[in-house]
């Protein structure tokens, strides 16, 4: 049995849906009580000082996971809203005919934010979904000098592919193009070191492989661009001194916290920082190795049904399988056996975490084989 299995609330299921929502740690309730509730239970004062420590701990957890200073991370509600804040903050993007490059297989919400936050004349170019997004040459062909911003995702959950983000970011830098990296599908399962590879902005969440629940997203801002950023969606917590309380005077916080806003929520960050700490200690390389080992077991059985990349350099934490006309019967049988997976246009998505082990994967394989 996986030695991590006992650490998580799995509700007796064989849970392979980590591209959607990761399972919480069993210690989450205790951690939440200690960080969020106990100041209320034990102090007569208002608990803001303790709650702001929760946010600082969230930044520290991210700092240790992604190897960048804590103050370069700003808590956010979700990636869509983070992206909107980025777009509105730069004068270079708020001009006529601004040009954006992204992929047609990016998460749709990212496209919605780009379409609505930018001026109507914005030209949003999509790399066609038929092209191989894992190939750096495809990006190179599309990254023309007239582009103002490139949006790239580390991992794509519907295809199980990885983008060559290092190449994309460095090419963008050479051409003076702003880069935004989406790590929603890779944070926690694919190592990322911001000292080795630094886009202008990185946006992510805690809900999937980091098992930290919804609402604890984050924005990382490269120190090279922070001064140019003038967020429009601000509040007193974006102020250099939130407690100055002079309605006639606003100074941006000098750090990424200029992107924060009004009175922040604390609960999601109390839950998530506990979980991110756990994964930062284990390390994303370890999680990746385990996850790829589980994918290997599946690929060994069903290699001709695999729709996601077989090459380990270009495959994400999710394997996609297409059992053609048997797909519906197999999905029903898996659900009946309490094995959680889901399906998108390319096929069934299967994502194993460190709490899954070879017994889980074997059970999955056995159920599929009974119906295929
Ligand atoms: C690649 C990617 N980006 C972003 C998101 C989510 O964006 P948001 O936090 O705005 O809901 C997802 C959700 O599945 C995703 O897969």
């Amino acid at each position: 049995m996986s030695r991590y299995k006992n650490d998580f609330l799995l509700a007796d299921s064989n849970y392979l849906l980590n591209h959607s929502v990761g399972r919480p740690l069993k210690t989450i309730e205790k951690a939440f009580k200690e960080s969020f509730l106990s100041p209320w239970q034990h102090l007569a004062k208002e608990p803001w000082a303790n709650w702001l420590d929760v946010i600082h701990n969230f930044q520290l957890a991210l700092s240790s996971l992604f190897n960048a200073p804590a103050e370069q991370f700003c808590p956010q509600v979700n990636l869509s809203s983070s992206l909107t804040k980025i777009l509105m903050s730069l004068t270079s993007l708020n001009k006529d005919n601004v040009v954006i490059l992204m992929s047609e297989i990016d998460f749709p919400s990212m496209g919605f934010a780009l379409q609505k936050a930018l001026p109507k004349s914005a030209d949003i170019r999509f790399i066609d979904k038929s092209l191989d997004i894992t190939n750096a040459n495809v990006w190179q062909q599309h990254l023309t000098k007239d582009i103002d911003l490139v949006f790239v995702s580390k991992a794509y959950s519907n295809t199980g592919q990885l983008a060559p983000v290092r190449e994309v970011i460095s090419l963008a830098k050479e051409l003076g193009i702003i880069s935004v990296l989406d790590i929603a599908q890779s944070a926690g399962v694919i190592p990322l070191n911001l000292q080795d590879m630094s886009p202008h902005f990185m946006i992510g969440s805690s809900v999937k492989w980091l098992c930290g629940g919804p609402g604890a997203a984050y924005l990382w801002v490269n120190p090279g661009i922070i001064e140019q950023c003038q967020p429009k969606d601000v509040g007193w917590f974006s102020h250099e001194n939130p407690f100055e309380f002079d309605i006639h005077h606003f100074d941006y916080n000098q750090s990424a916290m200029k992107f924060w806003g009004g009175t922040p929520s604390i609960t999601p960050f109390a839950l998530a920082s506990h979980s991110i700490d756990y994964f930062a200690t284990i390390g994303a390389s370890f999680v990746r190795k385990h996850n790829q080992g589980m994918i290997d077991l599946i690929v060994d059985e069903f290699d001709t049904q695999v729709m996601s990349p077989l090459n380990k350099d270009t495959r994400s934490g999710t394997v996609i399988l297409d059992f053609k006309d048997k797909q519906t019967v197999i999905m029903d049988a898996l659900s009946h056996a309490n094995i959680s997976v889901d399906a998108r246009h390319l096929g069934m998505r299967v994502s194993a975490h460190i709490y899954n082990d070879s017994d889980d994967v074997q059970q999955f394989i056995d159920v599929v084989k009974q119906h295929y």
Side-chain angles (χ1 to χ4, degrees):
M1 187 173 92
S2 155
R3 71 185 166 101
Y4 299 98
K5 203 165 214 164
N6 265 334
D7 291 350
F8 290 86
L9 280 170
L10 294 171
D12 286 332
S13 74
N14 183 348
Y15 191 85
L16 297 163
L17 270 178
N18 297 289
H19 51 268
S20 177
V21 178
R23 302 296 304 194
L25 284 160
K26 285 180 181 165
T27 46
I28 200 101
E29 201 174 338
K30 182 165 172 279
F32 176 67
K33 278 188 184 150
E34 278 168 16
S35 59
F36 186 77
L37 291 180
S38 94
W40 254 345
Q41 285 163 336
H42 303 295
L43 296 176
K45 295 190 293 185
E46 49 84 13
W48 273 109
N50 303 71
W51 287 348
L52 291 179
D53 283 347
V54 169
I55 298 300
H56 188 55
N57 288 338
F58 180 69
Q59 292 175 295
L60 288 173
L62 294 170
S63 162
S64 119
L65 186 67
F66 299 120
N67 196 21
E71 69 276 10
Q72 292 175 3
F73 294 91
C74 182
Q76 296 288 306
V77 177
N78 53 48
L79 282 90
S80 310
S81 143
S82 313
L83 181 56
T84 298
K85 289 188 182 205
I86 294 169
L87 300 172
M88 289 170 67
S89 76
L90 289 169
T91 46
S92 63
L93 299 177
N94 289 281
K95 61 178 186 188
D96 281 340
N97 307 315
V98 63
V99 186
I100 309 294
L101 180 69
M102 70 188 307
S103 162
E104 215 177 353
I105 62 166
D106 269 310
F107 192 67
S109 196
M110 304 297 104
F112 305 154
L114 280 154
Q115 285 154 34
K116 293 298 170 195
L118 290 171
K120 277 209 166 64
S121 61
D123 174 9
I124 302 178
R125 296 181 193 161
F126 294 97
I127 299 180
D128 196 276
K129 60 174 185 261
S130 63
L131 296 176
D132 180 6
I133 208 75
T134 67
N135 185 340
N137 292 333
V138 167
W139 287 91
Q140 189 159 20
Q141 280 154 19
H142 287 81
L143 271 169
T144 48
K145 269 195 176 150
D146 56 337
I147 289 171
D148 295 287
L149 180 145
V150 58
F151 183 90
V152 56
S153 297
K154 176 77 192 156
Y156 300 89
S157 75
N158 292 345
T159 62
Q161 292 169 303
L162 292 181
V165 288
R166 185 184 298 278
E167 288 88 338
V168 174
I169 290 167
S170 90
L171 194 57
K173 229 167 241 173
E174 274 171 37
L175 296 170
I177 297 170
I178 292 167
S179 53
V180 179
L181 175 62
D182 172 340
I183 58 161
Q185 282 295 343
S186 63
V189 67
I190 296 165
L192 189 141
N193 184 341
L194 284 167
Q195 302 310 311
D196 293 347
M197 178 185 53
S198 49
H200 289 98
F201 301 95
M202 181 180 89
I203 53 182
S205 65
S206 310
V207 65
K208 299 177 187 296
W209 298 91
L210 289 173
C211 302
Y218 41 88
L219 160 60
W220 176 81
V221 188
N222 191 311
I225 200 164
I226 189 75
E227 269 184 42
Q228 286 172 50
C229 300
Q230 303 214 325
K232 298 285 177 287
D233 175 2
V234 295
W236 58 310
F237 280 87
S238 322
H239 197 295
E240 181 62 15
N241 176 9
F243 301 97
E244 188 182 82
F245 295 126
D246 174 359
I247 200 165
H248 300 292
H249 179 246
F250 178 85
D251 262 344
Y252 280 115
N253 189 301
Q254 314 250 311
S255 76
M257 296 303 261
K258 63 164 68 167
F259 282 97
W260 208 2
T263 306
S265 60
I266 303 297
T267 310
F269 303 100
L271 299 171
S273 56
H274 177 65
S275 196
I276 297 172
D277 273 341
Y278 176 93
F279 283 107
T281 306
I282 293 174
S285 304
F286 181 88
V287 180
R288 167 88 173 153
K289 192 160 178 259
H290 178 81
N291 161 270
Q292 293 295 299
M294 297 294 110
I295 291 183
D296 282 341
L297 299 176
I298 295 173
V299 171
D300 286 349
E301 286 292 340
F302 304 120
D303 58 338
T304 54
Q305 285 80 35
V306 174
M307 306 303 288
S308 44
L310 293 173
N311 179 344
K312 285 189 188 165
D313 293 338
T314 55
R315 74 188 192 193
S316 75
T318 303
V319 58
I320 318 270
L321 299 159
D322 183 11
F323 296 104
K324 308 279 183 223
D325 55 329
K326 294 284 167 52
Q327 192 89 333
T328 311
V329 175
I330 293 174
M331 289 294 288
D332 286 348
L334 290 168
S335 165
H336 194 68
N338 216 9
I339 301 173
S340 301
V341 296
D342 65 9
R344 291 289 184 273
H345 66 281
L346 267 191
M348 179 190 300
R349 304 191 295 179
V350 185
S351 303
H353 213 323
I354 49 162
Y355 43 73
N356 298 114
D357 51 24
S358 48
D359 290 348
D360 291 341
V361 172
Q362 194 55 51
Q363 192 205 3
F364 167 82
I365 290 170
D366 291 346
V367 172
V368 172
K369 279 170 112 179
Q370 277 162 27
H371 296 87
Y372 190 62

